[in-house]
Every structure is written in C-alpha cells, then in structure tokens.
Amino acid sequence: KYQIVVDELVKLKKKMKHQKGYLLILFGVLMTACAPPKTPLVIGHRGAKGHLAENTLPSIAKALELEVDGVEIDVFQCASGELVVFHDKTLEKLTNATGYIEELDLDSIQRIEVLNGFTIPTLEEVLDLIKGKVFLNIELKGSQTALKTNELLQIYFEREQWSPEKILISSFNWEELKIFRQANQEVPIAILTEDDPLDAIPIGLELGAVAINPDYKSLNSDNVAKMQKAGFKIYPWTVNDPGDINLMTQMGVDGIITDFPERIPKPNY
C-alpha cells in the first residue's frame, strides 16, 4: 500500500510539473500579446518639413530641437561639383529661381532664396550642424552622388567628427547604391522603394543593407514581418497622420520618417 501511495504521489508531481510548465508558457504568450508595441525611432523628414522650409538648416535645427533620433535629407551634385541639400530637380516649387539645380554652380545656388528667406545648404553645412548628435539619412537624389558623398564622408570620418554607424545612405536609384557600396563597405545602406517592399529584399541582401524604407501605404503586418525576418529594419515614409503613425507602431516598424516629429509618442521609462 505504501508503494502505491508513493507511485501516485510521483505521478501527481509529474502532472503538476507539466501543468506548471504549460501555465508558464501560457503566461508568457499572454504577456507578449498584451505588451505594448516597441517605440519606433523618430526620423525628421527633410529636417522638420512640417514646421520650416524643407532641407534647410533651420528646418534641421528644428528637428534636433524636437529630439529626433535621426534626420533625413536629399542631395544633388551641382555643376561645380559640390553636394547641395535639395529635394526637387527643378527650383520653381520652393525657391525664387527656375531651372535645374544640377546645372547651376554653388555660387549661383547660394544666392537663391528658399521659402521664408532661407538658403540651400551644402552637405558639409548639414554635417557641421548635426555633428553626429543624431544619425543622418542621406538620400542620393541625383546622378553621380554616391562617390562624392563617400569622399566627403571619409574626410569627416578621418577627423573623427562623424562615425560610419551615424550615417544611413538611401536611394530610389539602386544603381547609385551599388556604386556607393563598392566604394564603402562600412556605412549602412537603406533601400528606398515606392513599389512592393518585398521586391527590395534581394537588392538589400546583395548590398548588405540594414534597412528598407518603403512607402507606408504599401505596408501590412505580413510584409513587415517578412522583411524583418530577412534581417532588415523598416523605416516607412512619410507618416504624418496620427492614425497612420499609430498603425505603423502597431505593425512594429523600427522607425518612422515624418514631417512632424513631435507626433511620434515618446517611450515611457
């Protein structure tokens, strides 16, 4: 009789052990499901475009004031060879001038007035303003920008004023990204796309990119998960509506590119 009781106690102990394990697993699943989504990085689009004229030094300074994690800008190479920070190929929309920015030399560009009396900065001026306080996403807009950008960055790296991990190079022109990657194996790359973001995975893997920057309207929970499983951070653009910001956050994107950095909720520590 004594042995029977012992055997029954052993069985009960094993049953409780398994039940305890099951309960722990269930508890873990419930905690994961109930946990708030991670807070995405805040990336100021062309500085703080929603507040001040895009891609200008005051707009970038405003983004820093709003405590962004990163700033996104656009660069073209002008006729005299310098890299200038501007988004459009032509000048009409944002300035008091006309024509193509790539056809003007730096001296002419610096005399152009942007909205609100600002000027078009060079990439050097932007690098000097930010000073590595946050990361800088440089979008290669024009042709022949990859090598020029790399040359300039190397100067700042050698001076130890910036480090490679504080720079993110992106472009819709994937050939320009290939040129940059051939010249520089250290600086992180992001694949810009306005099409099916999953189509960016192969080129991202080829170039060793760290991120895919898709149109936020192309995202859903499924493709976000697939891209992250493939090893990429997801930085969608350009997310301004609070409802869309919340949706991107719920999907678990890693960063949000926005004209209004203050609209991205801050983490609660």
Side-chain angles (χ1 to χ4, degrees):
K1 290 182 179 179
Y2 174 78
Q3 187 59 46
I4 293 173
V5 171
V6 170
D7 290 342
E8 289 301 317
L9 286 172
V10 169
K11 289 179 183 178
L12 180 61
K13 183 179 180 181
K14 287 181 179 179
K15 184 177 179 181
M16 291 300 293
K17 182 179 179 182
H18 291 313
Q19 189 176 34
K20 182 180 179 182
Y22 171 77
L23 290 173
L24 285 172
I25 292 170
L26 180 61
F27 179 74
V29 170
L30 288 172
M31 287 298 292
T32 301
C34 296
K38 63 184 177 184
T39 301
L41 296 176
V42 181
I43 305 169
H45 184 229
R46 307 177 199 171
K49 182 187 171 186
H51 296 271
L52 292 166
E54 64 181 58
N55 280 321
T56 60
L57 295 180
S59 184
I60 294 165
K62 181 65 177 177
L64 296 177
E65 179 188 323
L66 293 170
E67 299 182 341
V68 296
D69 299 295
V71 171
E72 184 269 352
I73 60 169
D74 311 280
V75 296
F76 281 98
Q77 179 178 265
C78 67
S80 50
E82 294 85 358
L83 292 166
V84 291
V85 180
F86 201 73
H87 178 268
D88 297 350
K89 287 185 177 181
T90 58
L91 296 158
E92 290 82 4
K93 183 180 176 181
L94 295 172
T95 77
N96 62 348
T98 60
Y100 291 89
I101 192 165
E102 292 173 298
E103 295 178 354
L104 298 177
D105 60 25
L106 183 61
D107 184 61
S108 300
I109 289 171
Q110 290 179 327
R111 292 199 296 267
I112 294 171
E113 185 176 301
V114 186
L115 297 174
N116 306 115
F118 302 140
T119 57
I120 298 172
T122 63
L123 179 54
E124 286 180 81
E125 289 176 311
V126 171
L127 290 167
D128 291 340
L129 173 63
I130 298 177
K131 295 179 180 175
K133 297 171 188 171
V134 301
F135 77 84
L136 179 62
N137 180 179
I138 304 171
E139 181 183 340
L140 307 178
K141 292 295 291 186
S143 60
Q144 300 180 325
T145 49
L147 294 180
K148 279 285 184 178
T149 299
N150 179 56
E151 289 170 10
L152 180 60
L153 289 176
Q154 291 301 329
I155 294 172
Y156 280 82
F157 296 158
E158 289 168 9
R159 294 176 184 166
E160 297 185 352
Q161 294 174 324
W162 279 81
S163 55
E165 66 272 11
K166 283 285 192 175
I167 301 291
L168 182 65
I169 300 294
S170 65
S171 186
F172 288 104
N173 185 341
W174 297 353
E175 290 303 314
E176 204 69 19
L177 288 180
K178 289 180 182 179
I179 293 170
F180 185 89
R181 177 52 80 223
Q182 289 171 357
N184 190 308
Q185 301 294 317
E186 290 187 294
V187 172
I189 280 178
I191 310 298
L192 261 171
T193 178
E194 56 187 347
D195 302 315
D196 184 345
L198 296 180
D199 291 341
I201 290 177
I203 185 67
L205 293 173
E206 178 186 339
L207 299 181
V210 299
I212 293 174
N213 294 9
D215 181 347
Y216 81 93
K217 295 175 184 176
S218 69
L219 294 181
N220 54 59
S221 297
D222 183 56
N223 58 23
V224 167
K226 286 180 179 177
M227 288 184 283
Q228 289 175 332
K229 186 176 181 181
F232 300 102
K233 303 288 186 183
I234 311 301
Y235 301 142
W237 52 269
T238 304
V239 195
N240 293 325
D241 180 80
D244 293 327
I245 289 169
N246 181 62
L247 180 61
M248 292 298 106
T249 303
Q250 294 298 322
M251 284 185 190
V253 301
D254 301 279
I256 291 177
I257 301 173
T258 180
D259 296 336
F260 299 95
E262 74 280 7
R263 293 182 182 177
I264 313 296
K266 300 291 184 185
N268 295 317
Y269 296 111

